[in-house]
Amino acid sequence: MAQFDLTRINCQFLDRHLTFPLLEFLCGKEIYDQKELLEYILETVNKTNMIDYTMDTRKRLGLCQDMPEELVQRKEEVLATLKQLQNEVAPIMKATDILKNGESMKDSKTFVNALQKDYNFKVEHLESAYKLAKYLYECGNYQESTSYLYFCMIVMSPNDKNYLNVLWGKLAAEILTLNWNTALEDLTHLREYIDNANFTTLQALQQRTWLIHWSVLVFFNHPKGRDLIIEMFLYKQLYLNAIQTMCPHIMRYLATAVIINRGRRNALKDLIKVIQQESYTYRDPITEFLECLYVNFDFEGARLKLHECQTVILNDFFIVACLNEFVEDARLMIFETFCRIHQCITISMLADKLNMNPVEAECWIVNLIRNARLNAKIDSKLGHVVMGTQPLSPYQQLVEKIDSLSMRSEHLAGLIERKSKQKNQESVDSWKYYSS
């Protein structure tokens, strides 16, 4: 299934360190040649200061068991540089403990005042802290790096030339240490900064494209992520535009989030509209599954695509943990759609559509009825499922209309804002022309 593997594309929009978990994941699969993959990991890790990881990769390639003299010398240089940077920030190292002593010190002005008063803080110390944080990160010491990055984030002005780098570094370090709650906070902070910064159109598009890829790592590992990914990718027009322009392959992850999120079935209509618009640039079994089911009403095609979806998800680092949930919810979607068309269905036919044997299918339907998720009765003698009426609740209809209006309103507001900015810019340019 190498044709559906997105690792090569996704890695283009990820920090070098964020690619290592993806590449190591692929090593456990049989998609690519193991030796070529390890050689690429070695080439990538050589660009960092992770000497032990470099040596470990060399051993896996069978190059040598002892550390080469070149690596020994490089390790000594890394340790020496690290010690030097730690000495430079020594005057304020104790100050980082203040951040752990309650929320009052998390206010930027309060913290800076305490630094200047108690630790004789200078601007040079901030630059040293930034360099140390970056160096620790390059060495793979992400946990310690987050402390200095947080220090820089609190003390730095948003106008500082390194502030954006700190935000990106902090998010990456939190992802790599699996601190998903903090990572989500950093993701929100970074998104707000990007949305409000004075970037050119191209720069903003590039920043959002990178953020979209990094956010997938957070969203599929955070309890609230399945709602947030839909809100950001589908209903934030600027990010939807970025996906359609730069990375339509992200539709895979958006589609997966909608499928496994039973509480957001109202997003299906909008999602399918986008999938159809982008079908000429990107298609995979997951997007095609939704097209077969909700556009073509091709249940046989949906069944076949669901089988392919399992292979795709099993080999995708971002969504592999959702495999069982995806299959369960995809089967439920096939079942619900099929039941809207037929009132009386044979269990054997349903089993065929759901890639299950008749006994499993009957047990699965019984559980749905038992959990009050299905209004139906089973006739065991005839082997039929008789459907009851399932009207859409007024509440659900209202939610769908509100979501649709919200998306349109946000789109119109953004359009008006862009038109206004363009008009103001033209007025300024015109004034400059006449004044000159």
Side-chain angles (χ1 to χ4, degrees), residues 259 265 268 272 286-303 305-306 329-341 353-354:
I259 290 170
R265 287 290 187 265
L268 267 172
I272 290 165
I286 296 176
T287 62
E288 289 176 338
F289 166 76
L290 291 175
E291 280 191 296
C292 285
L293 191 57
Y294 292 105
V295 179
N296 304 324
F297 296 99
D298 178 4
F299 295 100
E300 179 62 20
R303 182 184 72 81
K305 288 300 174 186
L306 177 56
D329 288 323
R331 281 175 176 166
L332 182 60
M333 292 170 84
I334 294 173
F335 182 70
E336 288 175 343
T337 308
F338 199 75
C339 291
R340 288 195 190 104
I341 300 172
K353 302 297 180 191
L354 299 172

Side-chain angles (χ1 to χ4, degrees), residues 229-297:
I229 191 173
I230 296 170
E231 291 298 326
M232 180 173 164
F233 290 5
L234 189 58
Y235 293 115
K236 296 282 184 189
Q237 193 61 41
L238 291 172
Y239 289 89
L240 179 57
N241 289 344
I243 290 170
Q244 292 175 310
T245 306
M246 299 289 289
C247 48
H249 58 273
I250 293 295
M251 294 303 302
R252 171 185 294 184
Y253 306 113
L254 178 56
T256 300
V258 173
I259 290 170
I260 65 177
N261 193 337
R262 294 175 186 171
R264 296 302 300 270
R265 287 290 187 265
N266 57 307
L268 267 172
K269 189 185 296 182
D270 297 321
L271 172 64
I272 290 165
K273 191 185 297 182
V274 176
I275 286 174
Q276 286 184 281
Q277 289 173 352
E278 299 306 314
S279 61
Y280 70 96
T281 57
Y282 179 77
R283 302 172 72 90
D284 71 14
I286 296 176
T287 62
E288 289 176 338
F289 166 76
L290 291 175
E291 280 191 296
C292 285
L293 191 57
Y294 292 105
V295 179
N296 304 324
F297 296 99

